[in-house]
């Protein structure tokens, strides 16, 4: 049995359901907070995790990425919003909730790369209205943080990322200990990714019906993709390159995707050693 840890949310639930269906009773799926998800995998108390790509960089020498599925955001998904005071010429301070992560890194990249600003990030705990009184801008990631908050001036951070790079933002990947992976797990991940991505594309087609791409200012609605396409891989690489360039991540990971050939090679080496 393979154990997978993750923090369930609206945008990864369908992938998790498909993965559970593909693996059946051979998958032990545990729903944990993000910090506990990372700790559980790093302490080898789980085989796999559906988690932020930042987790891979912590133990990339021992881990591998399953290339059959991911959670990638495209366009204005309405999750990560940067609220700012109207009329500002420059944003010097940005408030954020919780721990730093991909959301803070992407927001900093956008402000530095696209707008030439050098913001200082400050962790806040007060409600959004009160927090906005002490910073130039506030980064929120869900409706709970925005409860009762009216902010006419804001940008969608993920939409800004797509506008700047024309690439999806890979929010979560399936990674695990290389020594514990096998072809059955890889096949199940690929099957789940294809099933959910096909449905996601179908839903996108429904949203696009009746739109005129030549006249619509926003021809592509915000949406999620679940296959690890070439664009998704490139988007992940560009994220780490920009994060490293701006001093927001210590290095650019060497992405190792699991292949069945590697498993066979390890088996051959073990047999020769015996």
């Amino acid at each position: 049995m393979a154990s997978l840890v993750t923090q369930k949310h609206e945008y990864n639930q369908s992938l998790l359901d498909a993965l559970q269906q593909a693996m059946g009773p051979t998958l032990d799926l545990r729903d944990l907070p993000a910090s506990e998800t990372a700790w559980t995998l790093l302490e080898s108390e789980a085989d796999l995790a559906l988690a932020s790509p930042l987790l891979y960089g912590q133990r990339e020498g021992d881990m591998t990425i399953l290339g059959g599925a991911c959670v990638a955001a495209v366009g204005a998904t309405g999750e990560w919003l940067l609220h700012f005071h109207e009329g500002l010429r420059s944003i010097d301070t940005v408030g954020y909730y919780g721990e730093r992560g991909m959301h803070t890194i992407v927001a900093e990249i956008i402000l530095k790369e696209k707008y030439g600003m050098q913001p200082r990030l400050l962790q806040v705990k007060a409600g959004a209205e009160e927090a906005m009184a002490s910073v130039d801008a506030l980064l929120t990631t869900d409706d709970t943080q925005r409860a009762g908050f009216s902010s006419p001036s804001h940008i969608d951070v993920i939409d800004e990322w797509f506008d700047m790079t024309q690439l999806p933002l890979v929010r979560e990947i399936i990674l695990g200990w290389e020594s514990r992976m096998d072809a059955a797990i890889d096949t199940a991940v690929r099957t789940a990714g294809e099933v959910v991505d096909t449905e996601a594309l179908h839903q996108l087609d429904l949203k696009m019906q009746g739109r005129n791409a030549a006249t619509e200012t926003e021809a592509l609605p915000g949406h999620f993709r679940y296959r690890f396409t070439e664009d998704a891989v490139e988007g992940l690489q560009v994220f780490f390159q920009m994060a490293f360039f701006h001093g927001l991540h210590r290095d650019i990971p060497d992405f190792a995707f699991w292949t069945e050939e590697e498993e066979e090679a390890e088996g051959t080496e073990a047999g020769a050693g015996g």
Side-chain angles (χ1 to χ4, degrees):
M1 177 177 287
S3 57
L4 183 147
V5 290
T6 189
Q7 182 175 34
K8 292 183 180 180
H9 54 78
E10 179 182 356
Y11 301 107
N12 68 15
Q13 185 65 61
S14 58
L15 179 60
L16 294 171
D17 290 343
L19 187 58
Q20 185 76 77
Q21 184 173 357
M23 296 188 68
T26 64
L27 177 65
D28 173 25
L29 179 61
R30 283 178 278 168
D31 179 15
L32 302 172
S35 59
E36 195 171 339
T37 291
W39 182 89
T40 302
L41 183 66
L42 293 175
E43 291 296 316
S44 296
E45 295 188 8
D47 304 314
L48 298 154
L50 174 62
S52 165
L54 295 173
L55 181 57
Y56 175 74
Q58 296 186 39
R59 290 290 295 275
E60 63 179 284
D62 301 312
M63 289 188 178
T64 188
I65 300 171
L66 294 176
C70 67
V71 179
V74 179
T77 61
E79 296 175 279
W80 298 353
L81 302 182
L82 185 67
H83 314 267
F84 52 89
H85 295 289
E86 192 171 356
L88 280 182
R89 291 182 176 273
S90 179
I91 293 175
D92 297 321
T93 56
V94 175
Y96 68 94
Y97 293 100
E99 302 298 323
R100 292 200 182 200
M102 284 195 73
H103 60 301
T104 58
I105 292 176
V106 174
E108 283 196 77
I109 289 174
I110 296 299
L111 290 174
K112 291 181 177 183
E113 189 79 15
K114 193 172 180 180
Y115 296 103
M117 300 177 184
Q118 301 292 324
R120 181 165 55 96
L121 267 68
L122 303 171
Q123 188 181 51
V124 297
K125 295 183 179 180
E129 290 283 359
E130 183 179 348
M132 278 295 288
S134 60
V135 293
D136 295 329
L138 179 67
L139 179 63
T140 62
T141 58
D142 57 48
D143 290 338
T144 301
Q145 296 173 0
R146 294 185 283 267
F149 180 49
S150 176
S151 172
S153 300
H154 68 269
I155 58 173
D156 186 303
V157 172
I158 296 176
D159 191 36
E160 293 283 323
W161 168 267
F162 184 73
D163 181 67
M164 184 176 69
T165 66
Q166 293 299 297
L167 293 167
L169 179 68
V170 178
R171 294 275 305 280
E172 294 177 335
I173 60 175
I174 299 179
L175 68 161
W177 300 103
E178 185 175 2
S179 60
R180 303 183 190 180
M181 298 302 103
D182 59 36
I185 296 174
D186 184 62
T187 299
V189 169
R190 291 185 182 280
T191 298
E194 289 175 4
V195 168
V196 180
D197 194 62
T198 298
E199 177 60 23
L201 286 176
H202 173 65
Q203 294 300 321
L204 180 61
D205 285 341
L206 293 178
K207 291 181 181 179
M208 293 289 290
Q209 288 180 7
R211 286 175 174 246
N212 186 338
T215 59
E216 288 283 344
T217 57
E218 186 184 350
L220 189 65
H223 62 282
F224 283 80
R225 295 292 304 274
Y226 297 92
R227 286 181 59 244
F228 226 138
T229 62
E230 291 183 3
D231 279 354
V233 174
E234 185 179 355
L236 190 60
Q237 291 171 335
V238 169
F239 165 76
F240 277 106
Q241 288 167 0
M242 288 189 175
F244 176 72
F245 175 78
H246 289 290
L248 304 174
H249 195 267
R250 66 179 182 276
D251 58 15
I252 303 173
D254 181 18
F255 301 108
F257 290 89
W258 189 89
T259 62
E260 191 170 2
E261 288 74 14
E262 290 180 2
E263 181 186 36
E264 292 174 351
E266 290 176 1
T268 302
E269 291 175 2

